[in-house]
Amino acid sequence: MKQTELTPEYVDFIPPVSDMKEGVLYISKVFKTTAHLCACGCGNVVVLPFGRSDGMFWALTERLSGVTIRPSVGSFNLPCKSHYYITDNKVEWL
């Protein structure tokens, strides 16, 4: 089932796939990484590193209204080919 919202959960370590819940965006500030089950409902894990200087990163913005990640999440290497933004905890499908 397609997600329309992801709830941030701050963790030290990203949980194993078997323990991940749909609709939860796991954020590890220690490892500058986020992970979530793909918002399309396919069950695949999407990992988005943030704030790294090696050129492969996303920007994570935290506000009272929620978490925003840029650029878009493009799961083009997954069979589902999902493409969406995460803006203030909302999933915006492209």
Side-chain angles (χ1 to χ4, degrees):
M1 181 175 176
K2 276 189 173 182
Q3 300 293 315
T4 57
E5 188 168 346
L6 295 174
T7 303
E9 184 174 318
Y10 292 88
V11 295
D12 288 333
F13 300 97
I14 302 297
V17 176
S18 59
D19 292 340
M20 293 178 88
K21 299 175 191 163
E22 281 192 25
V24 176
L25 176 66
Y26 298 95
I27 301 169
S28 171
K29 288 188 173 183
V30 174
F31 293 102
K32 295 184 178 180
T33 300
T34 71
H36 65 282
L37 295 176
C38 185
C40 80
C42 70
N44 286 297
V45 176
V46 176
V47 177
L48 305 172
F50 63 89
R52 296 200 176 148
S53 60
D54 59 6
M56 254 327 265
F57 68 93
W58 281 258
L60 176 75
T61 304
E62 301 164 290
R63 296 186 294 240
L64 291 176
S65 55
V67 171
T68 296
I69 296 178
R70 288 293 185 272
S72 63
V73 179
S75 301
F76 305 120
N77 61 334
L78 298 177
C80 65
K81 309 286 188 231
S82 292
H83 192 200
Y84 50 90
Y85 283 110
I86 300 171
T87 306
D88 293 332
N89 299 347
K90 305 283 188 257
V91 177
E92 299 173 310
W93 289 95
L94 299 173

